[in-house]
C-alpha cells in the first residue's frame, strides 16, 4: 500500500489580506515528491489553510494513477489546529466562506483518498509548506494571483 504525507500551510497578511497556500507531498520514506504553491489574492488565514489542503490533494492526484488512489494511505499535516479538527469532524464550521472549501476537501477524500487523516503539527515542523505559502503571499502582494 502506498503511503503519502502532505504538509500544508496557508496564510494571509492582514487577515484578510494578501493570501497564499503551500503544499509539500512526500512519499512513504519522507522523500519530497512535489512542492506546490498558489497565490490566492485577498483572503483570510482559514480560507488559505483550506486552500492549501485542496492544493496538496490535487497535487497528489496528479502523482497517483486513478486505479491506485483509493488504496493510498494519506496523512495531511498542518499547523492549523482549527482546520485539522474541522476536517476530522471534531469542530464545527462557523465561518460560512469555509463551507464550500470543506465540501471540496470532503469530495476529494471520498472520490480519491478515503484512507486519510488530518493531523495538527507544531509550526516548526511545517517549515517547507510555510516557505511555499509565504512565496504565494508575496505573489499575491505583487498582484500575480
Amino acid at each position: 500500500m502506498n503511503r503519502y504525507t502532505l504538509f500544508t500551510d496557508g496564510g494571509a497578511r492582514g487577515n484578510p489580506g494578501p493570501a497564499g497556500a503551500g503544499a509539500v507531498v512526500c512519499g512513504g520514506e519522507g522523500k519530497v515528491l512535489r512542492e506546490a504553491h498558489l497565490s490566492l489574492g485577498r483572503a483570510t488565514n482559514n480560507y488559505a489553510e483550506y486552500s492549501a489542503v485542496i492544493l496538496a490533494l490535487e497535487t497528489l492526484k496528479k502523482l497517483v494513477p486513478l486505479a491506485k488512489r483509493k488504496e493510498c494511505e494519506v496523512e495531511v499535516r498542518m499547523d492549523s489546529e482549527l482546520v485539522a479538527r474541522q476536517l476530522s469532524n471534531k469542530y464545527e464550521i462557523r465561518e460560512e466562506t469555509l463551507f464550500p472549501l470543506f465540501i471540496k476537501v470532503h469530495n476529494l477524500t471520498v472520490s480519491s483518498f478515503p484512507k486519510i487523516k488530518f493531523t495538527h503539527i507544531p509550526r516548526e515542523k511545517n517549515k517547507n509548506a510555510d516557505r511555499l505559502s509565504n512565496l504565494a503571499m508575496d505573489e499575491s502582494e505583487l498582484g500575480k494571483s
Side-chain angles (χ1 to χ4, degrees), residues 8 49 53 76-80 83-84 87 118-121 126:
T8 68
E49 291 282 3
V53 174
V76 181
R77 297 180 183 174
M78 65 193 79
D79 57 36
S80 171
V83 174
L87 289 170
F118 301 95
T119 305
H120 173 251
I121 60 172
N126 206 24

Side-chain angles (χ1 to χ4, degrees), residues 5 7 13 16 27 29 42 50 56 58 60-61 64 75 78 98-99 104 122 126 136 139 141-142:
T5 303
F7 292 88
R13 296 181 183 139
E29 301 81 38
R42 185 175 169 81
Y50 269 97
E58 289 178 344
L60 183 59
K61 273 180 72 173
V64 178
E75 181 180 8
M78 65 193 79
L98 300 181
F99 284 117
K104 187 161 188 170
N126 206 24
E139 290 176 1
E141 286 181 332
L142 296 172

Side-chain angles (χ1 to χ4, degrees), residues 16-33:
V24 179
V25 176
C26 298
E29 301 81 38
K31 180 182 175 193
V32 174
L33 303 176

Side-chain angles (χ1 to χ4, degrees), residues 74-99:
V74 179
E75 181 180 8
V76 181
R77 297 180 183 174
M78 65 193 79
D79 57 36
S80 171
E81 182 178 7
L82 175 76
V83 174
R85 291 193 178 206
Q86 286 176 340
L87 289 170
S88 299
N89 297 312
K90 293 177 182 166
Y91 284 179
E92 65 180 274
I93 300 170
R94 295 186 178 156
E95 196 176 324
E96 283 186 32
T97 58
L98 300 181
F99 284 117

Side-chain angles (χ1 to χ4, degrees), residues 60-78:
L60 183 59
K61 273 180 72 173
K62 293 175 186 172
L63 295 174
V64 178
L66 179 63
K68 297 197 180 251
R69 289 181 193 155
K70 291 198 175 191
E71 301 169 14
C72 296
E73 287 185 7
V74 179
E75 181 180 8
V76 181
R77 297 180 183 174
M78 65 193 79

